[in-house]
């Protein structure tokens, strides 16, 4: 196993390159020296090399998936202020990122709350944790995605564009309620929701309750049908808290030594029975 023979080492390096085993190609001389020194059997040597290759592939895969996820930087569970949102259960959020049954059945997450209440941060943090656990995620502002799907529809490629989003186990639609049917034909979003229903998961952040969603979709029937599909097997967090940004500004104005304002929040989980629209 010693890499002392330059010809054999060169042949092995070429072979490992052809076999696309870059981690083994890089590390095998070091492992070979250690194996010779410690008297490893051949099986242990091969196992050590293959385990290292698998670990490196997993690391590179996570890096690729984080890059394609387009998550806002720095928005992780470690930096999320659970203490400012006492009714958002950290244990529940951690469970959602650790277990996979809800993703496997295409269940959804919906985060309601005013601007600055932490919805986008929590959504991104959940997405980041899921990527680290092996899932594929895409974070997008809903208005941006609507524009892209509109272009695809114009080019007669909407079905293909939506199909490409299927590779993501979780699609995060940030600022959903900012979409306005007077600005864009948002029926493309309805088609996306319908296509992913009970197949692929959505995470939606919105600053308006369901009752205000009539201004998003072209008609009431489509609005009710979209809501119906979203809430079926959904976890909903109602983050009705004071804006982080507003609170921080007030505390800066208040100055040091004064007690901070307290935030209140209601969070609940539902698995609502589906009602036909």
């Amino acid at each position: 196993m010693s890499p002392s023979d330059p010809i054999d080492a060169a042949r092995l390096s070429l072979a490992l390159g052809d076999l696309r085993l870059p981690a083994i190609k890089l590390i095998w001389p070091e492992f070979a020296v250690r194996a010779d020194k410690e008297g490893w059997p051949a099986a242990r040597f091969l196992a050590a090399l293959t385990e290292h290759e698998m670990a490196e592939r997993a690391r590179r895969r996570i890096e690729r998936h984080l890059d394609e996820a387009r998550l806002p930087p720095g928005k992780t569970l470690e930096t999320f202020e659970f203490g400012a949102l006492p009714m958002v259960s950290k244990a529940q959020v951690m469970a959602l990122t650790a277990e996979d049954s809800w993703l496997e059945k295409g269940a959804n997450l919906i985060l309601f709350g005013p601007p600055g209440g932490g919805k986008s941060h929590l959504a991104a943090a959940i997405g980041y944790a899921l990527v680290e656990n092996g899932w594929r995620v895409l974070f997008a502002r809903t208005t941006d995605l609507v524009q892209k799907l509109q272009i695809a529809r114009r080019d007669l490629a909407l079905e293909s564009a939506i199909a490409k989003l299927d590779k993501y186990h979780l699609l995060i639609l940030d600022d959903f309620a900012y979409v306005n049917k007077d600005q864009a034909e948002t029926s493309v979003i309805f088609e996306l929701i319908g296509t992913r229903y009970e197949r692929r998961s959505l995470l939606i952040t919105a600053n308006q309750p369901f009752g205000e969603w009539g201004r998003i979709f072209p008609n009431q029937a489509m609005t009710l049908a979209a809501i119906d599909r979203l809430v079926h097997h959904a976890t909903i967090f109602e983050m009705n808290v004071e804006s982080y940004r507003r609170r921080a500004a007030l505390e800066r104005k208040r100055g040091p030594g004064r007690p901070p304002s307290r935030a209140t929040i209601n969070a609940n989980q539902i698995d609502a029975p589906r009602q036909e629209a």
Side-chain angles (χ1 to χ4, degrees), residues 232-252:
H232 192 206
H233 307 305
T235 298
I236 298 180
F237 290 95
E238 295 183 2
M239 303 169 64
N240 296 318
V241 297
E242 181 183 5
S243 166
Y244 281 175
R245 293 185 289 269
R246 181 174 181 274
R247 186 167 65 248
L250 289 175
E251 289 173 358
R252 286 195 300 269

